[in-house]
Amino acid sequence: ISWGSPPVLSIDVALLLQLPTPLRLLLLGRLRAALPNDKTAIVLLNMDVFGVIDFDRGTAAVDAVLRDSMVAGFALTGQMAMRISWREDPGFALAVGGFHPRFAAPTGFPKLPRLALTLSAGDKPRRRLEAYLAITSNTVQLGGRLDFGVRAGEFSLEGVFALDTLVHLAPFELSAALAALLAVKQGAGVLMAGAVRVALAGPAPWHVHAEASLQVAGLTLPPITINETFGEPRPLPLP
């Protein structure tokens, strides 16, 4: 199956039906996407897919992995999985790059590496972006992390930015955490380092916790902390 002329998206699919017992439909596939085209691709995606629909057990499972993929010449890696059940224990979970760190994955769900884009060919400079997106029957989860480092002689600048968001749909509940760390080093020694962490949770009531810290020439200054609660507490409805 292809789309476009010349094709920018092509899918090779094999369907296998197992019967009479157990009754299963198996899918084997390869997906290839090249944008704007195959010869001058800026985005190139190659994905291997395997799926099973088990009609006797009332379950469906899909697993996929990226291979030989890139964005603007930088390597793109990651895995995706989906699990559905509609009989004894109904549920739905789809994850690209895994789940929120505080979310308990469904039993039997595979542990997935983050979707990762390596934005440098080596360690000078070093840049790596990781991300995840997950949707379950009652949550939406989104997050990412950027690691970078630049070196000039014996001096280096290193930093981390991270965001994790978890939303429960019914009853509505939001949890978000942001962290930023930056350090200037001489060799293995830290000349200056700063960190900011912010956490938001709510809405019944909303709670904000923020903390900023600074270290200069081995001297750690007292952290600045904000811990505030606003909004009226109210009993949440049962899910």
Side-chain angles (χ1 to χ4, degrees):
I1 303 172
S2 63
W3 181 80
S5 180
V8 296
L9 174 66
S10 59
I11 305 173
D12 296 326
V13 179
L15 296 176
L16 299 86
L17 182 63
Q18 180 181 0
L19 48 80
T21 302
L23 180 58
R24 294 174 179 168
L25 179 64
L26 288 79
L27 178 147
L28 301 170
R30 284 184 174 179
L31 179 147
R32 178 180 176 84
L35 300 172
N37 55 64
D38 202 39
K39 292 184 178 181
T40 60
I42 298 176
V43 177
L44 179 62
L45 301 178
N46 289 293
M47 181 179 291
D48 294 334
V49 182
F50 174 68
V52 179
I53 302 177
D54 192 320
F55 296 97
D56 291 342
R57 298 176 57 187
T59 61
V62 177
D63 295 274
V65 58
L66 286 170
R67 59 172 180 80
D68 302 328
S69 300
M70 65 86 180
V71 176
F74 300 116
L76 178 65
T77 59
Q79 295 182 19
M80 165 267 185
M82 181 181 70
R83 298 292 186 269
I84 303 174
S85 58
W86 60 84
R87 285 191 180 173
E88 296 181 358
D89 187 19
F92 171 83
L94 168 66
V96 180
F99 293 99
H100 187 282
R102 294 194 295 105
F103 181 79
T107 302
F109 202 97
K111 186 175 181 180
L112 304 175
R114 295 296 195 219
L115 189 67
L117 184 64
T118 303
L119 299 171
S120 56
D123 292 335
K124 299 178 182 180
R126 184 189 76 251
R127 291 169 295 174
R128 179 178 173 86
L129 177 64
E130 297 182 347
Y132 66 89
L133 170 65
I135 302 173
T136 70
S137 53
N138 196 39
T139 68
V140 176
Q141 307 168 40
L142 176 66
R145 176 187 174 102
L146 173 64
D147 289 272
F148 68 90
V150 180
R151 181 176 294 276
E154 61 178 334
F155 296 94
S156 63
L157 174 66
E158 299 179 3
V160 175
F161 295 92
L163 172 67
D164 292 293
T165 306
L166 174 61
V167 179
H168 285 89
L169 301 178
F172 177 77
E173 181 181 344
L174 169 66
S175 174
L178 172 68
L181 297 90
L182 195 63
V184 179
K185 296 183 177 180
Q186 182 180 14
V190 178
L191 299 178
M192 180 183 297
V196 176
R197 295 179 177 86
V198 180
L200 172 68
W206 289 105
H207 181 72
V208 179
H209 179 82
E211 182 177 301
S213 59
L214 181 64
Q215 178 183 344
V216 181
L219 177 63
T220 301
L221 303 179
I224 300 175
T225 303
I226 299 175
N227 199 12
E228 296 290 340
T229 299
F230 55 94
E232 292 297 328
R234 65 178 186 273
L236 294 175
L238 294 175

